[in-house]
Amino acid sequence: MKKHKKRKLDIAVISDVHLGTFGCRATELHNYLKTINPKILILNGDIIDIWQFNKRYFPTPHMKVIKQLMNFITSGTKVYYITGNHDEMLRKFRGFRLGSFEIVNKVVLDIDGKKGWFFHGDVFDVTMQHSKWLAKLGGMGYDFLILINTIVNWVSHKIGYGRLSFSKKIKNSVKSAIKFINDFETTAADIAIDEGYDYVVCGHIHQPEIRIIETDKGTTTYLNSGDWIENLTALEYKNNNWSLYEYEKDEIAKNIHLNYTVKDLEFVSSGQNSSELFTELLKEFNIKTQ
């Protein structure tokens, strides 16, 4: 295989990887990570899915992603692990640092003279009426839909057809889903404008986006890194410009072939104490429950 020079980036943002689940597209993510050389890598929540973690399922492609992330850390890339709702048990380790690696609930960065606010986004669930819809979407029903989707796409690939995404079609057609996404983006932008942030960068809703949001109070750029289950997207910052990376359009990454022998590996799961951790998160963001 011909080796390609890695793309140098100032910042790369990935979220909603959900390692440890059947729907995770670990091979594709590993391919992408092999093609970039970021100064800062932000893992914006739900990287390891502790909610649905099964120690009997953590195959080699998933471990390859972990190994590649470790390579970034040891090579000097600043790596922020921002906690999400599916890996919320890591919130008890907020503030942990090891070399260039740090676990946080949010990150504020100076980006070429502008302020960027990075966080997963589940903290907004308590402020919006349709939060239960997302909770259901992110729970067992959604995971079951992804599993069916994976089987269908395997068959589709074998007979020469393209990929399908049932969950993506549902989100793009159900009115309550559309309203939830709009409310999420509006809420994030409103708070960012009030706090004077030029960029607000989230994950959580599996909906990749870059757009400028203007209100009577000001303007901010809302960015969402999407996910590595349905959309296979990331955010990249280079030369004073944000761009949305789409794996399906990256022929170099798609042509990286890795010879995996799928072998399940043991992984230690965490205990339960999510309610207290989420309460602490609300306090950190100064959000009051209704």
Side-chain angles (χ1 to χ4, degrees):
M1 181 186 69
K2 181 180 177 181
K3 289 188 176 181
H4 295 273
K5 189 175 181 180
K6 293 186 177 183
R7 295 185 295 113
K8 293 184 177 181
L9 302 172
D10 294 323
I11 304 173
V13 184
I14 62 173
S15 69
D16 300 272
V17 176
H18 295 272
L19 291 170
T21 64
F22 292 106
C24 174
R25 304 288 294 280
T27 298
E28 290 85 347
L29 175 57
H30 184 266
N31 289 354
Y32 167 63
L33 294 175
K34 292 282 286 184
T35 66
I36 63 172
N37 181 19
K39 294 178 182 177
I40 299 174
L41 175 62
I42 297 180
L43 309 176
N44 202 358
D46 290 359
I47 304 303
I48 298 176
D49 197 322
I50 297 176
W51 270 13
Q52 304 175 71
F53 199 90
N54 187 332
K55 67 180 181 180
R56 292 188 296 274
Y57 184 78
F58 207 85
T60 299
H62 295 222
M63 289 301 297
K64 289 283 187 179
V65 171
I66 298 294
K67 183 179 178 181
Q68 184 59 41
L69 295 178
M70 292 300 297
N71 288 341
F72 283 128
I73 294 170
T74 57
S75 65
T77 296
K78 178 62 180 180
V79 178
Y80 292 101
Y81 193 120
I82 299 176
T83 59
N85 52 311
H86 282 254
D87 48 18
E88 62 188 351
M89 294 311 299
L90 294 178
R91 285 173 181 158
K92 66 175 66 177
F93 302 108
R94 175 176 58 91
F96 172 81
R97 296 181 184 181
L98 182 62
S100 61
F101 175 76
E102 186 174 355
I103 297 177
V104 294
N105 287 336
K106 60 184 179 181
V107 172
V108 176
L109 296 178
D110 181 286
I111 306 173
D112 293 322
K114 294 184 177 181
K115 291 174 64 178
W117 186 28
F118 301 78
F119 59 97
H120 183 62
D122 61 300
V123 69
F124 291 154
D125 285 354
V126 297
T127 67
M128 293 181 286
Q129 294 179 350
H130 299 278
S131 58
K132 291 183 179 180
W133 180 87
L134 185 65
K136 291 179 180 179
L137 183 66
M140 293 184 64
Y142 179 67
D143 191 53
F144 182 66
L145 186 61
I146 291 295
L147 179 59
I148 295 175
N149 215 153
T150 301
I151 297 171
V152 170
N153 282 325
W154 183 83
V155 175
S156 178
H157 175 73
K158 288 295 183 181
I159 61 178
Y161 289 94
R163 286 183 49 80
L164 301 171
S165 179
F166 302 147
S167 50
K168 188 174 181 179
K169 289 181 181 294
I170 290 172
K171 284 196 296 185
N172 291 338
S173 60
V174 177
K175 289 183 179 180
S176 61
I178 296 172
K179 186 178 188 309
F180 177 86
I181 292 169
N182 290 337
D183 288 349
F184 180 93
E185 295 175 350
T186 300
T187 301
D190 285 345
I191 296 178
I193 291 171
D194 287 341
E195 298 296 327
Y197 294 113
D198 300 286
Y199 306 117
V200 54
V201 187
C202 304
H204 190 49
I205 58 174
H206 294 208
Q207 194 77 6
E209 183 71 87
I210 298 178
R211 69 186 181 99
I212 297 174
I213 297 179
E214 184 174 358
T215 69
D216 55 356
K217 294 183 178 180
T219 302
T220 192
T221 300
Y222 166 83
L223 304 99
N224 196 298
S225 47
D227 65 280
W228 284 87
I229 289 182
E230 303 167 273
N231 295 291
L232 281 66
T233 52
L235 292 168
E236 298 181 346
Y237 182 80
K238 182 180 180 181
N239 297 329
N240 298 301
N241 181 61
W242 282 102
S243 61
L244 183 65
Y245 170 87
E246 298 177 74
Y247 180 83
E248 293 299 334
K249 296 180 180 180
D250 187 347
E251 295 301 323
I252 293 177
K254 287 166 65 176
N255 288 323
I256 294 178
H257 301 291
L258 302 173
N259 296 319
Y260 289 131
T261 55
V262 178
K263 181 180 180 182
D264 290 346
L265 300 174
E266 294 292 317
F267 198 88
V268 179
S269 62
S270 179
Q272 297 293 323
N273 196 16
S274 58
S275 179
E276 293 179 3
L277 293 172
F278 190 73
T279 300
E280 291 180 4
L281 181 70
L282 294 178
K283 291 180 180 178
E284 184 173 341
F285 279 81
N286 294 319
I287 290 180
K288 297 180 180 179
T289 57
Q290 295 179 350

